[in-house]
Amino acid sequence: MKFLTDFINSIEKTPDVSIEKLLTIISYKEFKKGDSIAKLGEIPSDVYVLKSGVIRSFFTDEKGKEYIRNLFIPVKTTGALGALILNKPSRLSYDCLTECKVYSINFNKFKKLTKEDKAISNLYSTILEYIFLTLESKIYDLSVLNATERYLKLKKQIPDIEHLIPQYHIASYLNITPVQLSRIRKEIYSK
Amino acid sequence: MKFLTDFINSIEKTPDVSIEKLLTIISYKEFKKGDSIAKLGEIPSDVYVLKSGVIRSFFTDEKGKEYIRNLFIPVKTTGALGALILNKPSRLSYDCLTECKVYSINFNKFKKLTKEDKAISNLYSTILEYIFLTLESKIYDLSVLNATERYLKLKKQIPDIEHLIPQYHIASYLNITPVQLSRIRKEIYSK
DNA sequence: TTATCGTATTAACATATGTTAATAGGTTTG
DNA sequence: CAAACCTATTAACATATGTTAATACGATAA
């Protein structure tokens, strides 16, 4: 499993013996477009390493309106971490916007390994640090940037985003309506 | 140091021997209103446990406008964690809105302990998990709630917030102008 | 006490974005 | 091919919030 070993070591240099332990609880899976990897209201069991494809996470409000909170592209860890930590039903759904190839990890088994193995505990801390930095940046974007700036930033991060998913999903990720995204695109590309 | 021991154990039950190690790198400090515990553009060295007082973290944009990102009340960990993780100049400032009593922890020494001591590594993971949940909730608030709802939520979390800090700070935390907060308050309290 | 200063409110106007609905393209399906 | 469907665009209008400036209020200092 060179792919996984490399991914783990890119996060935090980890002894082979610890990686061996991790590999025993990791399995490969494929999902189709539209498949869900974690559902609203259900207690999730797994976290994932995304090898290929695009996954979105989203809230749903009382009216059924969806708010995409995050877009995941390879190589990233993904899954309903908040619900896994709390062992409660997830407030977010996660589903595949394209066909996805993932490695699936049982979170409880993983947490058990963190309690037993110092290197794995350190690995987990480092992953949480990365996630912290990502969320902090997301809060900055939502607080300080306007919708046009958020759109340009997304385009910079994922240049072919327009080909990967429909615009109404992009709009939701930017926390605006498709109508407003259309206006912004018109404004930008008319120049 | 019963206060600290209790605080640590409330996060994650930790062996006394590990707590002993932690206590060797922790020191008590007091700050005056307006003092800074981490400055924009400077590489920070410490994280803190807030024992009393109110601390705010904030961005500053090119025009010098401040965006309060978080308000910390006891008992919470605080400090420029993003900058500490990256060992880079902080994009956020942290300062005391009131007199503050804190415990100060050198982050590098703390990180060194996490590499050596499994229990401390687990403690760090658990702290990061809590922070993750807090930030995820903050993103939800910024995405899904309108300003009135964010205000009511803040009032619920910190009922005496109006007495602790001026309204223009509250407005900044809510990501609106003082003018808009005034409108919202008028609307709410006229009912 | 009066003057000063920081803060909050209010009004008037500007702007970004939301809502709804109509329309136009493109793709899929019968 | 035509029908049906999904998506994006556009227009018209509504709303939340920003900006600026004037005013009022409250605390502190002279």
Side-chain angles (χ1 to χ4, degrees):
Chain A
M1 282 291 101
K2 183 162 183 340
F3 175 82
L4 278 174
T5 305
D6 286 353
F7 178 65
I8 291 166
N9 278 318
S10 77
I11 296 168
E12 172 101 0
K13 192 89 190 80
T14 302
D16 288 345
V17 55
S18 299
I19 291 181
E20 291 293 329
K21 289 187 205 166
L22 284 171
L23 292 180
T24 66
I25 63 165
I26 299 181
S27 59
Y28 176 77
K29 279 182 190 165
E30 294 187 359
F31 289 103
K32 292 200 180 63
K33 182 174 172 174
D35 282 355
S36 182
I37 65 163
K39 288 200 178 74
L40 176 80
E42 294 186 7
I43 299 179
S45 59
D46 293 336
V47 288
Y48 301 89
V49 175
L50 180 58
K51 190 183 183 189
S52 78
V54 183
I55 288 174
R56 68 170 178 147
S57 64
F58 59 102
F59 300 108
T60 310
D61 71 11
E62 324 82 43
K63 296 173 190 166
K65 185 179 169 188
E66 293 177 354
Y67 296 78
I68 297 187
R69 279 305 27 109
N70 219 336
L71 295 170
F72 299 91
I73 56 171
V75 181
K76 284 264 167 57
T77 56
T78 181
L81 184 59
L84 288 163
I85 290 170
L86 295 171
N87 196 39
K88 282 187 177 173
S90 181
R91 291 204 307 169
L92 287 161
S93 294
Y94 288 70
D95 62 31
C96 301
L97 293 172
T98 65
E99 186 193 61
C100 287
K101 296 174 180 175
V102 305
Y103 291 97
S104 161
I105 303 128
N106 180 283
F107 187 71
N108 286 336
K109 289 182 185 166
F110 176 73
K111 279 297 287 266
K112 195 148 170 278
L113 288 183
T114 68
K115 302 296 177 197
E116 296 165 2
D117 185 304
K118 198 164 61 189
I120 295 174
S121 182
N122 285 322
L123 174 69
Y124 184 45
S125 296
T126 303
I127 291 169
L128 288 169
E129 285 181 343
Y130 278 119
I131 292 171
F132 168 82
L133 294 172
T134 305
L135 295 196
E136 192 170 69
S137 170
K138 177 91 185 175
I139 289 169
Y140 178 85
D141 293 351
L142 286 171
S143 306
V144 179
L145 305 184
N146 63 33
T148 303
E149 293 166 328
R150 293 202 296 280
Y151 173 68
L152 291 173
K153 182 165 178 177
L154 174 64
K155 286 274 288 182
K156 205 169 177 182
Q157 284 169 345
I158 315 180
D160 59 341
I161 187 68
E162 319 258 10
H163 305 121
L164 291 174
I165 58 176
Q167 281 187 38
Y168 66 84
H169 276 146
I170 296 174
S172 177
Y173 174 78
L174 298 173
N175 220 38
I176 55 177
T177 57
V179 174
Q180 184 60 14
L181 177 56
S182 183
R183 288 186 192 121
I184 288 170
R185 285 166 44 81
K186 187 183 180 184
E187 174 67 15
I188 290 173
Y189 297 120
S190 73
K191 283 177 183 165
Chain B
M1 282 291 101
K2 183 164 182 339
F3 176 82
L4 278 174
T5 304
D6 286 353
F7 178 64
I8 291 166
N9 278 317
S10 76
I11 296 169
E12 173 100 359
K13 193 88 190 79
T14 303
D16 289 345
V17 56
S18 298
I19 291 181
E20 290 295 329
K21 290 187 205 165
L22 284 171
L23 291 179
T24 65
I25 63 166
I26 298 181
S27 60
Y28 176 77
K29 280 183 189 165
E30 294 186 358
F31 289 102
K32 292 200 180 63
K33 181 174 170 173
D35 283 353
S36 184
I37 65 164
K39 289 200 177 75
L40 176 80
E42 293 186 7
I43 298 179
S45 59
D46 293 338
V47 286
Y48 302 89
V49 176
L50 181 59
K51 190 184 183 189
S52 77
V54 183
I55 288 175
R56 67 169 178 147
S57 62
F58 59 102
F59 300 108
T60 311
D61 71 12
E62 323 81 43
K63 296 172 188 166
K65 185 177 169 189
E66 293 177 353
Y67 296 79
I68 297 188
R69 209 224 48 199
N70 219 337
L71 295 169
F72 299 91
I73 56 172
V75 181
K76 284 265 167 59
T77 57
T78 181
L81 183 59
L84 289 163
I85 289 170
L86 295 171
N87 196 38
K88 284 188 177 172
S90 181
R91 291 204 307 169
L92 287 160
S93 294
Y94 288 69
D95 63 30
C96 301
L97 292 172
T98 66
E99 187 193 62
C100 286
K101 295 173 180 173
V102 304
Y103 292 97
S104 161
I105 302 127
N106 180 283
F107 187 70
N108 286 337
K109 289 182 185 168
F110 176 73
K111 279 295 290 262
K112 193 146 170 280
L113 287 183
T114 67
K115 302 296 177 197
E116 296 164 1
D117 185 303
K118 198 164 62 189
I120 294 174
S121 181
N122 285 321
L123 173 69
Y124 183 45
S125 296
T126 304
I127 291 169
L128 288 169
E129 285 181 342
Y130 278 119
I131 292 171
F132 167 82
L133 294 172
T134 306
L135 295 196
E136 192 170 69
S137 172
K138 176 92 183 173
I139 289 170
Y140 178 85
D141 293 352
L142 286 171
S143 307
V144 180
L145 305 184
N146 63 32
T148 303
E149 292 166 329
R150 294 202 295 279
Y151 173 68
L152 292 172
K153 182 165 180 179
L154 175 64
K155 287 274 287 181
K156 205 170 176 180
Q157 284 169 347
I158 314 180
D160 59 340
I161 186 70
E162 319 257 7
H163 305 121
L164 291 174
I165 58 176
Q167 281 187 36
Y168 64 85
H169 276 147
I170 297 175
S172 177
Y173 174 77
L174 298 173
N175 218 38
I176 55 178
T177 59
V179 175
Q180 183 61 13
L181 177 57
S182 183
R183 289 185 192 122
I184 287 170
R185 284 166 46 80
K186 187 183 180 184
E187 174 67 14
I188 290 173
Y189 298 120
S190 70
K191 288 180 179 165

